[in-house]
Amino acid sequence: MKYKILIVGMVLLFGLSSVWAQSEPEESDSVVIDSAELFPAPVSDIKLSDKPNDHGHAVVVTWEPSADDGGGKNNVVQYEIYWSTSFDGPFDTAGVVPSGTREFEHVGSKDPDDPKYIPDNTDLFYQIDVVTADPLIRTTSGTEGPVQCSGQWYNTGRTPVLIAVLIFGLLTAVFVTSARKGRKLYVRPIGGIEAVDDAIGRATEMGRPILYVLGLGSAADVATIASFTILGRVAKRVAEYQTELIVPTYDPIVMSVAQEVVKSAYYDAGRPEDYKEDIVHFVTQSQFAYVAAVNGTMLRELPATNVYMGKFFAESLLLAETGSLAGSIQISGTDEIAQIPFFIVACDYTLIGEELYAASAYLGREPKLLGSLKAQDWAKAAVVILAIIGLIAANLGWDSFTNLFQVVD
Amino acid sequence: MNRTTLIVVAIVAALFAVSWIAHAVSMSGQKDNVVDAFMLTMAAFLTLAIFSFLYRDNPFYKFAEHLFVGVSAAFWMCQGFWSTIVGNLIPRLSEGLSGFFQVPYQASSWNFAYWIPVILGLMLLMRLTKDYGWLSRWPLALIVGTTAGLNFVRYLRSDFIVQVSATFMPLLSNESHPWEGFGAFLSNLNLAATGQLVTIVANWVIFLGVICGIIYFFFSKEHTGIFGRASRVGIWILMITFGAGFGYTVMGRISLLVGRITFLFKDWLQIIS
């Protein structure tokens, strides 16, 4: 009997334990309910759009923040944005932004081999997790999408640049045509350039060479291009006077172009036989090694005239000071604002900024260059007028006018 | 080389050797002490050789100059070969050569486009030949034309449009103190760097400086009358700016000089600690 009671008791105990075990999930359910109160509210009103004015491979995600971001439970730390090419996932991390943010630009790579690649013209889906200080306590939004991204041919943010290009191009065309028809365009005298001919004459009389330094710019820099024109003029005069010319260069492409310029100048002067390939020579592409070499040339060859035209950096004073010590007449010109002071103190004549560009037109007197110079002056007049109007607009709060000049990337 | 020069060169060589040995001995506990001592002495010697230019041109300066030019020219050539040709070109054009140079081959359907710079590069090299030298003008024209065109838009944006919009500034107020009449202006008068009066004066200087500076750079009109006076103001503003820039840069150069002198006296001569 005792055994029967014991067995029944064990069965009851087992049954109770089973009931107890079954009731545990209910207890865990009650924990879930408790912790659910910690879960932040999801974001709402998720909007997806292709990022405008770009090369594609980018999506803009906007949303209304969670009700618990800055209010409610106030426990939102960050938003994690996930993306996928399928509605059902799997989702990859697109990015993480701090609480309070309402927008995220998912900018990917255009290289298919890149892990950050985002395909164009493909359905993309997004989810946003609202994350608390405990990364496990988070709320995931529903899947939003599809959206497709693509590149645009025209960047509307750069319309002001397009308008400026068209106006400037039109002005240039008008003035070049006008100059070609024989209209005389006045260019005011530029001291430094008028001194070039005198300096070449001085070198001829002294029987010493002329050193022409094109600077450290590339062949595409505007200052270097202007310098090529001046070099052509100097080389032509040098060829006519049969003076020696030395052109040490820093950039191999600049060297090639300068060789062509000098060669043409010698041909134009009717002295092709005097042209030598090593008039224009390459030194090195190391800034201060180049300076050391040019300084050495100045002290050994003792040029009568040093001409520095182009783009210069920290070497400007080193060159100009050495030339001054060597007793050379020095003419310089650069559009590098930080280097102009050094040339002013160490050279006899200095072309400041845009005077360098004007010098090529002044020397060449070609319709193309003169027309371009005249167009530049009109553009400067436009700058003055627009600056005055804009100033008045800014002071009176006319934002519609000032906004016309906002260029967006 | 005359006798005096030979004697000076011999003395400097002896000093160099003494310095080398002395430093090698002082570094005797270290690994590669002989090489390190040589490098330290060579650095000091080259620094002094370049400084000797302040006296006049001399064999030591010539040596340093030629060493510098030669090493840098060779360095940049190697750099160009390994970073451009081996680093960028070969991995896109040849799997076999990629294996030879031990760089990963980057297969892509667009790799054929990399033959264009190869052809342009070869055309540039044609200038070494007499008969086909004219071919080098085509890549030169492409380089200059393309980059000049790209720069045109960039300059128009940064030097024209942004310059214009940067001049749109309040001349009678600043953000913290909007213009509310002269009474409020005088009562809020503040001469601090961020104060209302200073900001307004700075804005006026910028505005007038820009206008007068632009007038100075007008080339197709004679600088006479009011135009001439505005141009004079423009050149004064430019000169004041250049003066400030000069002082600022000279200070930077002095710090470079201090760096070299510190090296000589601390690392080489070990006179200062």
Side-chain angles (χ1 to χ4, degrees), chain A residues 188 220 259 300 377 380, chain B residues 65 127 147 216-217 219-220:
Chain A
R188 73 169 167 85
Q259 279 179 339
R300 274 159 233 147
D377 276 4
K380 279 175 247 171
Chain B
E65 174 200 325
R127 66 182 299 109
T147 40
Y216 172 76
F217 286 108
F219 298 104
S220 54

Side-chain angles (χ1 to χ4, degrees), chain B residues 11 17 21 27 58 63 70 95 98 123 149 161 164 169 173 186 270:
Chain B
I11 292 169
I21 294 164
M27 295 175 181
N58 62 74
F63 172 76
E95 199 166 359
S98 299
M123 284 168 78
I161 294 170
V164 171
M169 49 182 57
S173 62
L186 292 171
Q270 297 177 357

